[in-house]
Amino acid sequence: MRDAVHWFAIVAGIAVTACAPLHGDKASRSDSPPYFLLTWGKKGEGPGEFRSPIGIAISRKDEIFVAEFNGSRVQKFDTKGKYLGQFPVVEHPGGIAVGRDGRVYVTAMQTPEVYVYDASGSFLSKWGKAGTGEGEFDKPGGVTVGLDGSIYVADQGNNRVQHFTPDGQCLGQWGGHGREPGKFGGGDKPKSRFGGPHFLAFDREGNIYTTEATDGRIQKLTVEGVPLLAWGDNTTRLGSFGGRPKNIRTPLPGPIAVCVDHRNRVWVSSTNNRIQIFSTNGQYLFGFGGDGDQPGQFNLPHGIAVDSKGSMYVVDASNQRIQKFAP
């Protein structure tokens, strides 16, 4: 397998490749970069095409849901990239999660609400409004499902995380603007969407991970918001998140999305067009990527998700595609 040669074919609009190892930067001999498996998508408005995909979530049935920021829709695929359907959603969606019952939760930065759909895309409900109070939002970002099935939302403009029942009852909130442990976005002004938290993910122990772009930081916290660990910066060292290419027009620096795989490793995407993997103690394990549109290269990678078999999916946003890897 490690000597596999790339081969490509176009099947129903999907670019497919044999398992091919990526050459990344390693800090541990026990871990190595994943194998690139396949990619699908291109710029467009048709089925299986994308206009700035951002968020990704995978159901218990291994159905892959992708939220398109400029397409204002969610598309659904199987694990081979086969198009299964689509449905319209709130304008400029970014955050997306799938609950245990198959309900799909969608957030949009410019709309202070959480929208709920069934697995076929039928609208069910929405909750939230603009503000700083309990259950209110300012530029909601990533959304994820806790181990108990409850919903967590990155309330970016309010620099906090909010916790809800699947039906939208607020169970709590924590965070605030600052650089102290457990707070967010202190390197930027309050209310800035660049401060964070941006995306959220849980590990097997039920701890939650958050990303902060301006500060180049990952935080690990309990579900009550008690800080456990923080790491990262926006320098260009391995394990850091700086080095954004000059041709990237977005002002967003640093880390974007976070996901924890079946081996309890923390995957982080960033605007330097790299994916980096860490232990749950913040130890840098390896990284891969770089600017480009070849397999394993990226142009503004965003959401990351894992399926039931442990394969990882990365939303390669400005390349208008999804890439799949075998870790």
Side-chain angles (χ1 to χ4, degrees), residues 134-202:
E134 186 177 272
E136 298 175 346
F137 299 105
D138 184 356
K139 307 178 188 72
V143 55
T144 193
V145 179
L147 299 189
D148 62 354
S150 58
I151 310 301
Y152 293 76
V153 181
D155 189 6
Q156 297 178 129
N158 286 322
N159 300 117
R160 66 184 180 182
V161 174
Q162 294 203 68
H163 180 202
F164 299 89
T165 68
D167 294 320
Q169 178 184 350
C170 189
L171 299 174
Q173 55 183 284
W174 37 265
H177 183 255
R179 279 180 164 161
E180 303 91 334
K183 294 188 176 182
F184 305 99
D188 207 335
K189 60 186 178 181
K191 301 292 184 180
S192 170
R193 73 180 180 91
F194 305 121
H198 297 302
F199 280 70
L200 312 170
F202 280 93

Side-chain angles (χ1 to χ4, degrees), residues 111-127:
T111 305
E113 296 167 316
V114 175
Y115 288 75
V116 188
Y117 305 84
D118 68 18
S120 64
S122 296
F123 174 76
L124 298 176
S125 64
K126 64 179 180 179
W127 29 272

